[in-house]
Amino acid sequence: MHNAIRPFDGMNGELVQSATLDALRMAQMNFAREEYDRLERLILQQIVPALGGRTAPASEDICRHLEQVRTFSGNFCWQHRSVGAAHVAKEVRP
């Protein structure tokens, strides 16, 4: 049995169904984005300098992972931010 891992190609794909985010899910994405921003600031302002700056190998790896989380999460459903802002649901916490 051969399991080939293919590289991600965002340009090719198939839309299988529409995605629907209810108010709770939108609130969770808003909350996750806020928490990620706090974590990223902490890492970039305190941990990366302690490791020797952005050019240190460990810092480069950390920064790359931070960027990948934001990119592959769609910035925590940022494209749907107007829907979330239209609801009081942004005050809901998981």
Side-chain angles (χ1 to χ4, degrees):
M1 177 153 93
H2 184 280
N3 290 330
I5 298 175
R6 295 179 296 161
F8 174 75
D9 182 359
M11 299 305 291
N12 293 320
E14 180 180 343
L15 181 62
V16 290
Q17 65 183 15
S18 297
T20 303
L21 297 174
D22 62 14
L24 178 61
R25 189 73 177 133
M26 193 69 233
Q28 290 171 337
M29 290 295 105
N30 289 341
F31 181 72
R33 187 180 320 104
E34 291 168 7
E35 287 297 304
Y36 176 85
D37 289 343
R38 289 182 186 121
L39 177 62
E40 184 179 50
R41 275 193 304 278
L42 176 67
I43 290 170
L44 295 178
Q45 292 173 0
Q46 306 222 357
I47 296 172
V48 167
L51 292 172
R54 286 186 180 246
T55 57
S59 296
E60 287 180 343
D61 197 34
I62 289 169
C63 291
R64 181 178 55 81
H65 286 295
L66 289 172
E67 182 180 340
Q68 287 181 341
V69 168
R70 192 173 295 276
T71 300
F72 289 104
S73 71
N75 192 8
F76 304 98
C77 294
W78 183 251
Q79 66 271 25
H80 301 297
R81 68 192 175 280
S82 57
V83 175
H87 293 280
V88 185
K90 62 185 174 182
E91 299 301 322
V92 176
R93 292 293 184 247

